[in-house]
Amino acid sequence: MADNDKTAHIDRFGRHGVWGGFNQFSADTAREIERLGYGALWLGGSPTDLRTVREVLAATDKLTVATGIVNIWNTDPAAIAAEFLELDRDFPGRFYLGIGAGHPEATAEYTSPFGAVGRYLDVLDDGGVPVNRRVLAALGPRMLTLSAERALGAHPYLTGPAHTAQARATVGDGVLLAPEHKVVLGTDPVAARAVGRPPVDQPYLHLRNYTSNLKRLGYTDADLADGGSDSLIDALVAHGDAAAVRAQVDQHVAAGADHVAIQVLGSSDVTADLAAIIGAAD
């Protein structure tokens, strides 16, 4: 695959992927996710190195693996570039480096994320990381535009289809748009919200970049208070039976996403839930 062929790189992700914490997936779980037909596994959090990525790649045969995300404030871009090249040598074409600026509330060194991400990308350029093998955490227009210009595309987190439609209009065609979406399998909406609300509220409804984005989408201070209104939680956490969850997730695709990274919440058997969702009718 040519490094300048964006379409071929985007196709590697497939329509659906799985999102979870960096240390959430055992080798057996990663293999099962691949067997179920998911195109990509997103390893979330802010790791200081890529050792877990290597473990997942080694456990699977063709699954695309991406970080969601490596934080620019706690990693050395030259070291990350070197690790990327080692992974690409050992597992050619399978790893995509997702980077982002994290949150001002969590980082004492936080400055303008746009400029800081640009400088990080400069070092990745110098280190030999191809533009089309990296993805940017992006919510607002400036970072979305940067993701189109200096990466394969964007990995928005904690968004709904309305944001996806706006993001597609910003980045244009031929740019990866891969939002994350949380899901709870369960037909009792009250019980599902009880599972979905805490991981939305803490920490995200207390982080300025996420609350600002939600307000741009029309949500109010009242929606963000007390753990989030029912309408906000319902937009950010799909719930219902497998078919209903699949239908809500795929609203991102209808709005312009190439790929949706599914994060299962509150499950005693994540792979069983993932099997039900991927098996639900289109």
Side-chain angles (χ1 to χ4, degrees):
M1 181 193 308
D3 281 330
N4 61 357
D5 185 354
K6 275 198 172 186
T7 300
H9 286 281
I10 291 169
D11 289 346
R12 285 211 54 141
F13 285 80
R15 178 178 290 185
H16 301 102
V18 176
W19 197 103
F22 240 76
N23 296 311
Q24 179 175 338
F25 302 106
S26 67
D28 286 344
T29 300
R31 282 191 287 268
E32 181 64 8
I33 288 169
E34 180 176 60
R35 188 195 69 79
L36 288 171
Y38 285 91
L41 181 57
W42 294 81
L43 302 179
S46 298
T48 55
D49 59 58
L50 302 178
R51 284 177 289 182
T52 301
V53 172
R54 177 172 291 276
E55 293 167 6
V56 172
L57 287 166
T60 52
D61 295 321
K62 59 183 180 180
L63 187 68
T64 295
V65 180
T67 48
I69 50 140
V70 168
N71 192 311
I72 66 169
W73 303 111
N74 67 0
T75 55
D76 173 9
I80 291 295
E83 284 192 84
F84 172 91
L85 294 178
E86 291 174 0
L87 289 169
D88 199 44
R89 176 197 65 205
D90 297 338
F91 307 96
R94 293 181 55 203
F95 174 55
Y96 289 76
L97 177 64
I99 70 165
H103 322 294
E105 294 85 352
T107 305
E109 298 85 359
Y110 197 95
T111 59
S112 167
F114 184 82
V117 169
R119 290 188 292 274
Y120 198 100
L121 291 170
D122 291 341
V123 179
L124 295 182
D125 287 340
D126 293 342
V129 179
V131 169
N132 287 341
R133 297 289 298 285
R134 56 208 198 192
V135 180
L136 302 188
L139 294 173
R142 292 186 76 202
M143 200 65 74
L144 285 164
T145 299
L146 189 66
S147 78
E149 293 173 347
R150 300 199 59 188
L152 180 63
H155 176 48
Y157 187 91
L158 199 76
T159 63
H163 179 271
T164 294
Q166 293 181 12
R168 176 55 72 195
T170 299
V171 301
D173 296 332
V175 175
L176 176 69
L177 189 54
E180 171 270 352
H181 202 97
K182 296 170 178 58
V183 308
V184 175
L185 277 191
T187 56
D188 180 344
V190 175
R193 291 182 194 120
V195 172
R197 181 171 276 113
V200 170
D201 180 34
Q202 294 291 341
Y204 302 109
L205 297 188
H206 304 272
L207 298 174
R208 189 167 67 245
N209 54 340
Y210 288 106
T211 58
S212 296
N213 185 61
L214 292 170
K215 287 181 178 180
R216 282 194 298 268
L217 294 170
Y219 292 102
T220 67
D221 287 334
D223 286 308
L224 304 179
D226 301 320
S229 65
D230 286 352
S231 61
L232 175 65
I233 299 303
D234 289 349
L236 299 177
V237 184
H239 55 81
D241 61 17
V245 165
R246 171 72 178 269
Q248 186 171 338
V249 164
D250 283 351
Q251 287 176 16
H252 282 281
V253 179
D258 302 290
H259 170 89
V260 186
I262 297 168
Q263 181 178 180
V264 176
L265 301 177
S267 175
S268 61
D269 191 340
V270 170
T271 54
D273 285 0
L274 290 170
I277 293 165
I278 200 73
D282 287 329

